[in-house]
Amino acid sequence: MRTVTWQASGPAVQLIDQRALPAELKTLALTTVEDVAEAIRDMAVRGAPAIGAAAAFGLALAGQTSTAASSEGLWEELQSSAGRLRLSRPTAANLGWALDRVLQAGRQRLPEGPAAVRAAVLAEAQRIADEDVQVNRAIGRYGAELLHDGATVIHHCNTGALATVDYGTALGVIRTAHEQGKRIHVLVDETRPRLQGTRLTAWELQQLGIPFEIITDGAAGHFLRRGDVAAVLVGADRVAGNGDVANKIGTYMLALAALDCQVPFYCAVPISTIDTRLASGAAIPIEERDASEVLELELSGLPIAPPGARARNPAFDVTPARLVTAWITERGVLRPPFAKSLATALEGSPPWASS
Amino acid sequence: MRTVTWQASGPAVQLIDQRALPAELKTLALTTVEDVAEAIRDMAVRGAPAIGAAAAFGLALAGQTSTAASSEGLWEELQSSAGRLRLSRPTAANLGWALDRVLQAGRQRLPEGPAAVRAAVLAEAQRIADEDVQVNRAIGRYGAELLHDGATVIHHCNTGALATVDYGTALGVIRTAHEQGKRIHVLVDETRPRLQGTRLTAWELQQLGIPFEIITDGAAGHFLRRGDVAAVLVGADRVAGNGDVANKIGTYMLALAALDCQVPFYCAVPISTIDTRLASGAAIPIEERDASEVLELELSGLPIAPPGARARNPAFDVTPARLVTAWITERGVLRPPFAKSLATALEGSPPWASS
C-alpha cells in the first residue's frame, strides 16, 4: 500500500491520513487542489518525498478536473494551482522540485492541445511517484553497507514508507539491512512536538518486525555517550549546495551528540531533496508552525501549559555539513566535501536506469 | 508558600503536589514515612533540593510518630526509615546528604534520651529547609551578575521554588536578575517526558511576571544557532568531584549546542548537590523510570505509541565538566578547574553566616 496514489475514479489523490496513526489506518480521497494543499499544510501527508508526490498528483488533479478548452487556459490554471500547492509548506525541497517537473512536462505538450497536456501532467506525476520507490531502494542498498550485523541505530522523526511514496529513506536503509538478515535495533526518537517517531516510525517498525525502543529526543545523547550506538540515521527536508541539512527540529543537537561520541551521523537523502541553488543552510526557509502543537497534547488536544502561555515552534533546524559523516543518496554514499562528491555522483546514469 | 513544610498538627509533611500543576495547586499532608517515600518516587515532589528537604522531614516524621521508649529503639527506627527514604530515588545527591545530616543530629543526642533525639531530628530537618532558601538566594545573587539586561536565556526542566524549598536555583538566578530590574526573556525547554518545563517552570514564570516562551527540547539548538541566546541555565541532581553534572535528561545535548554556538552554559548548584566522593560522572547512578512516561501522554494517560511498543526512559544524563562554563553555588561562581575552585570557595564562612 503506497502512502500517496492516484485514483482514476473521481479522480482523486489518495493518501494515508498520518494524523490518525497509530490508532487508525485510514485513507483520504482528495478531489480538489485546495484539499491537497490543506492535507500537506495540516500534515495529513508529511515527509519531503511524500509531500513532493502528493503535490505532483495535486497538480495532475488540477489538470484532470479543469474544464479549460484551450492549452492557454489550462496552462494558466496549472500555474495558479502550482502556486497554491507551493505555498502549502516552505521547507521541503521536493515540493517545488516535483511541481516544476510536472509543469515542465505539461508545457512541452502545450502545442498539442489541452488533452495532451492533461495526459502529460498526470504521467509525469505518476513517474515521480514510481521513481521515488526506486530511489529509496537504491538509498537502502547503498546505506545498508554502512550498518553491521547487531548494530543499534538512532533514528529521528519518520523517514519510512509513510514519509515517501513507499519504502523510505533513512528507515529504508534500516529496512534493507534487516532484509539482508542483519540484526538491527532501533532507538526511535519520539520527535516532539508531533511525535512522528512514537506514532509513525514505531508503527512501521512493528509492521516490519524490526526491534525498537522509543526514547525522548533528549535521551539520544545519553545512549550515544554510553557507547551503545553504532550510527545515527536521519532524512532531510532540504540540503543546501554545501551539504548543510535542514531536517526535523532536534536534528542539529543529535548530530552534535553523535560527533562528540564519535558515532557516524548519516543523512539519507534523495537527489531531489538537494537544492544546489542555495549556497548554505542559512538560505533554507524554516517553517514555524502553530504554538498549539507545543502547548497541547498531540491527538487529545488537552492543554499541558498554563492558560495564556506562549510557545515557539520551528518545525526544522539546520545541521551544518561539518557534522555530517556522509549523505546516502540513490547515486551512492557521498562523503565530504559534499559539492565535489555530489558532482562526481551525478555523472552517468541513475542506478536503476538499466533495470 | 513553601514547596515542602513541616505541619506540627498531625504531624505531617506538607507538600505541593507537583503532578497536579498547572491545572490545580493542591497540597498533600503525608503522615507516614512510606507516604513520603512514595511522594518522592512518584514525583509529587521533585527537584534535588526539594527531595532533600522532603526526605529530611520524612525522617523527622518517623521520629515524631515513633513509640520507641528508648534511644536505642528510636535510633533503629530512624535508621530503617532513612534506608527506605534513601531508596526512593537514586540520582539526587541531596537525598542522601539530607538524611545523613538528620541522622547525625539525632545520634549526637542519643545519650539524652528519645525526646531529645526526636527534637534534634526535627530541628535539623527544619534547619535544612531554612538553609535551602538562604542558599538559593545566594546562588541567585551570584548568578544574576552573569546576566545582562535584555538577555534571552534557555532553561531546562524546573529549578524554581517548586524544585527547592523556595526561590529556586537556576530559576532563582533568573528571578534575582528580574528583581534587579533586568529584562530577561526565558526560552523554556518543555522537558520530556514529564514536561516539567511546560507544566511547572512556565507556571512559576507566569506567577513572577517574567516573559517566556515554551520550546521543545530539540528546538534549543535552533535558537542557540541563530544567535538569539545569551546563556543556558540549568540545575543539577548530582555533581561529581570533577564537575561532571548529572541533570534532567537532555541536558548533555543542550550543553553541546551551547558550546558549539559559543554561548555560556551555567549550572546553578547548591554545595549539598556536590558529591565529592565520586571521581567523575560515570559513577553517578542514573535512574531509569517507567516506560509509560514515554509511551503515554502526561496527565491524560492516553496512549501515543502503538500497542506493544517498548520504550527506554533514563531520567537523567551526565554532562561532562568540559562543557560547563561555570557552576553557580552559594559560595560563588566556580570556573574550571572545578575541584580547585570548589576547594577555594569552601574556605571561610557561608555568605549568610553573618546575616
Side-chain angles (χ1 to χ4, degrees), chain B residues 281-335:
Chain B
I284 299 175
I286 298 297
E287 176 183 18
E288 182 144 353
R289 295 183 61 84
D290 198 82
S292 63
E293 295 185 349
V294 177
L295 298 173
E296 296 168 7
L297 290 171
E298 178 75 7
L299 306 178
S300 74
L302 287 175
I304 44 177
R310 297 171 60 187
R312 296 291 301 276
N313 187 18
F316 307 96
D317 60 23
V318 173
T319 298
R322 67 183 150 87
L323 303 179
V324 181
T325 307
W327 298 259
I328 307 167
T329 78
E330 68 271 32
R331 298 293 193 115
V333 176
L334 314 185
R335 296 193 181 265

Side-chain angles (χ1 to χ4, degrees), chain A residues 190 192 214 252 260 310, chain B residues 190 192 214 252 260 310:
Chain A
E190 63 173 0
R192 282 284 293 158
I214 301 166
Y252 165 53
D260 195 54
R310 297 171 60 187
Chain B
E190 63 173 1
R192 283 284 292 159
I214 301 165
Y252 166 52
D260 195 54
R310 297 171 60 187

